[in-house]
Amino acid sequence: MTTTTFRIGGDLGVHRLGFGAMRLPTEQGAAREASVQVARRAVELGVTLIDTAHLYGGGANEELLAEALHPYADGLTITTKVGIARSADSGEWGLDGRPEALREQVEHGCRRLRVERIELLQLHRIDPEVPLAEQLGALRELQVEGKVGRIGLSEITVAELGRAREIIEVVSVQNRYSVLDREHEPVLAACEAAQIAFLPWRPVAGAVSGATAQIAAVAADLGATPVQVSLAWLLGHSPVILPIPGTARIDHLEENLAAARVQLTPAHRDRLDRLAEQV
């Protein structure tokens, strides 16, 4: 039986199937109102983990979620990410792991989300130009000050995870991963061994000839959609996986969340497990 909840860091309980807010339009008008309705519907349907980032509109996505959901329902966790900033000179986005930049983004994130503390903060990318100890040390200082509850990382290797865990307690990892994209399987295995939450981004399989046809065949057997089968596979693949599929449409949101009710048979799971070898 697939478990439906997970405790991030051992104490922050969430439903395993979350929501990624990156795709929500934030410009004023009908598109923004539709985004507000999608975010509210996600919570109505039981989502307790919503993922955003400073990168998503330079904080506009965070502001949108606060507009839609504040005051937040009991048990709702909005996790955000820092470490990518827009250059004041060129206007281009790039890695910025300087302690002062990370602190500024966290403080802005708290203001935009209308919270005093970000319960789960993730470093969007490790900045190779700044010593890792300085980046993580800055986040740890914010944690000691009470502005950050727990710390996670994104797009890291097993070696980077190991080095990071010598400096801070890492409670989550957000890497690209899906039934057809298992490059980070070793990272997932390390997370599972340490009971670290693994949040796959781009969790729904893309179009790959042959492999997607097999996913569709499994979906047809179960009376489900290929998207639901892909998410159900993730939920059953490891108990530490917390998928965060994103969409700007309520019908797609409802389809995604219904994946929690899809039960793959051992034969279907074996068929899907072998897809990675064909991609």
Side-chain angles (χ1 to χ4, degrees), residues 24-260:
L24 295 178
T26 57
E27 63 270 17
Q28 294 297 326
R32 185 183 184 88
E33 181 55 33
S35 294
V36 167
Q37 295 307 315
V38 169
R40 290 175 177 169
R41 182 62 175 151
V43 175
E44 287 175 359
L45 291 172
V47 167
T48 57
L49 177 65
I50 296 179
D51 175 80
T52 184
H54 175 79
L55 173 64
Y56 307 159
N61 197 267
E62 295 171 331
E63 291 177 339
L64 171 73
L65 291 174
E67 176 186 329
L69 302 172
H70 191 273
Y72 302 114
D74 290 343
L76 176 62
T77 296
I78 298 181
T79 172
T80 192
K81 299 183 287 293
V82 297
I84 299 180
R86 176 174 281 165
S87 168
D89 298 326
S90 68
E92 297 294 320
W93 289 93
L95 302 183
D96 193 346
R98 294 172 301 140
E100 61 270 26
L102 297 176
R103 174 174 289 274
E104 181 180 37
Q105 287 189 18
V106 168
E107 291 174 348
H108 285 326
C110 286
R111 175 178 55 80
R112 291 181 178 120
L113 290 169
R114 307 180 200 173
V115 296
E116 295 183 358
R117 159 172 146 147
I118 296 169
E119 292 299 335
L120 175 59
L121 179 80
Q122 299 180 106
L123 183 63
H124 212 147
R125 296 289 187 276
I126 292 174
D127 184 348
E129 301 301 319
V130 179
L132 181 62
E134 291 186 16
Q135 297 175 70
L136 299 184
L139 299 185
R140 184 174 55 195
E141 287 179 7
L142 288 161
Q143 189 177 35
V144 170
E145 293 169 16
K147 294 178 180 177
V148 170
R150 300 157 194 80
I151 301 170
L153 305 172
S154 181
E155 280 303 284
I156 60 167
T157 64
V158 171
E160 288 169 338
L161 176 59
R163 289 198 297 272
R165 294 184 68 204
E166 294 174 355
I167 302 169
I168 61 166
E169 180 184 3
V170 179
V171 303
S172 69
V173 169
Q174 188 166 333
N175 278 21
R176 190 190 70 252
Y177 187 84
S178 73
V179 65
L180 297 183
D181 181 359
R182 303 186 211 171
E183 175 186 349
H184 295 296
E185 193 79 41
V187 181
L188 170 59
C191 288
E192 188 170 331
Q195 282 298 291
I196 293 171
F198 185 90
L199 284 64
W201 63 269
R202 199 181 293 163
V204 178
V208 179
S209 179
T212 49
Q214 293 199 51
I215 295 173
V218 171
D221 283 350
L222 296 172
T225 68
V227 166
Q228 290 171 337
V229 166
S230 298
L231 291 171
W233 179 85
L234 285 169
L235 290 170
H237 186 58
S238 169
V240 304
I241 288 182
L242 281 61
I244 46 171
T247 180
R249 290 174 45 177
I250 286 180
D251 59 336
H252 286 169
L253 170 71
E254 293 173 345
E255 175 189 351
N256 291 343
L257 296 179

